[in-house]
Amino acid sequence: MALKSETRDKLKAISTATVATALFKRGFRNQFIQDVHPLSPVQPVLVGEAFTLRYMPAREDLNQLAVFRDRGHPQRKAIEDCPPGAVMVMDSRKDARAASAGSILVTRLMKRGVAGVVTDGGFRDSAEIARLGFPAYHHRPSAPTNLTLHQAIDINVPIGCGDAPVFPGDVILGDSDGVIVIPANIADEIAEEAYEMTAFEDFVTEQVNNGLAIYGLYPPTNEQSLADFAAWRKLKGR
């Protein structure tokens, strides 16, 4: 099932932290991709369906520069096959000693209309990627070519990325905190709940800034807090 436009819009307005809480309430504890960071502090929010690439440890006789002459090479093919609006998610086994990709391939993803790219390894040309204004996440910069240590082996299969399970079609949300993976079958309800949670948290933040204590407010165990929230929503059009 394709990601609904209204779900995409709601996700762009909420945080990975709020989504993590909504997932935790449903028993999901391992959906946040560990140790990946945005390349730019001002890059857009990342939302899209996962399209995956899996790397395995390179075997030297099968991973020479000449492999890139093959139009079917999994890394190059994944770059050209990742659908517009999707997120390329790369399983690099949390190994940033060699790059998962560089600025040319990431630029190609951007020009093709892909929503963003995530690796639990590293990117080369990281400063150039950061300047693209394109949502990109990695562990750290890495200059060596991927062929040094990574052999691209599978496209659009279930992977692990930063210890999180990622299935093709899962919904990816990335912000300044990092990247979280939402199972595709609950993406709509998670987006709706988190969108509502965001309204309440904005109300709470305003109240705390006004000097209120959190007791009875967060969580809203006082009936007056709920009444005040309802009045606030009406006033703010939320």
Side-chain angles (χ1 to χ4, degrees):
M1 183 186 302
L3 181 62
K4 297 177 182 176
S5 59
E6 55 265 37
T7 297
R8 187 184 295 268
D9 290 344
K10 286 176 180 175
L11 289 171
K12 287 182 178 181
I14 61 184
S15 70
T16 55
T18 302
V19 167
T21 299
L23 288 169
F24 176 74
K25 288 163 62 177
R26 290 163 174 78
F28 292 95
R29 299 169 180 264
N30 193 37
Q31 298 302 116
F32 191 72
I33 297 178
Q34 297 296 318
D35 296 322
V36 303
H37 317 285
L39 271 74
S40 168
V42 294
Q43 68 186 31
V45 171
L46 171 62
V47 177
E49 294 165 288
F51 182 91
T52 66
L53 173 66
R54 182 175 73 88
Y55 287 109
M56 64 177 285
R59 204 179 84 180
E60 289 80 358
D61 61 327
L62 300 176
N63 228 41
Q64 300 296 313
L65 278 171
V67 300
F68 287 146
R69 296 175 182 170
D70 178 6
R71 292 173 67 94
H73 183 269
Q75 186 207 47
R76 290 334 202 228
K77 183 172 171 53
I79 296 296
E80 295 295 335
D81 286 357
C82 186
V87 177
M88 172 79 79
V89 185
M90 303 181 189
D91 172 6
S92 297
R93 309 180 320 284
K94 300 187 294 182
D95 190 345
R97 292 178 299 157
S100 303
S103 64
I104 291 174
L105 298 188
V106 174
T107 299
R108 177 58 178 160
L109 289 172
M110 181 181 71
K111 292 297 184 180
R112 292 192 56 253
V114 171
V117 61
V118 181
T119 178
D120 59 1
F123 289 124
R124 64 199 313 198
D125 317 313
S126 57
E128 293 178 40
I129 295 172
R131 289 193 292 269
L132 290 175
F134 180 67
Y137 293 79
H138 72 170
H139 178 53
R140 62 168 172 81
S142 184
T145 175
N146 66 297
L147 298 173
T148 309
L149 292 168
H150 303 311
Q151 184 166 336
I153 200 71
D154 277 324
I155 298 174
N156 221 25
V157 297
I159 61 169
C161 186
D163 293 325
V166 184
F167 289 81
D170 281 350
V171 178
I172 305 298
L173 173 64
D175 62 9
S176 58
D177 279 352
V179 180
I180 199 160
V181 184
I182 307 170
N185 63 312
I186 59 171
D188 293 341
E189 64 182 83
I190 291 291
E192 177 64 26
E193 179 176 325
Y195 190 79
E196 292 295 308
M197 287 172 63
T198 298
F200 178 69
E201 289 169 355
D202 288 348
F203 161 74
V204 169
T205 299
E206 186 175 300
Q207 298 303 301
V208 170
N209 277 324
N210 288 336
L212 268 68
I214 60 170
Y215 297 120
L217 173 66
Y218 189 68
T221 53
N222 288 348
E223 289 298 322
Q224 187 59 48
S225 295
L226 294 173
D228 290 345
F229 175 49
W232 179 90
R233 292 197 80 167
K234 185 175 181 180
L235 178 65
K236 301 286 187 179
R238 299 282 298 274

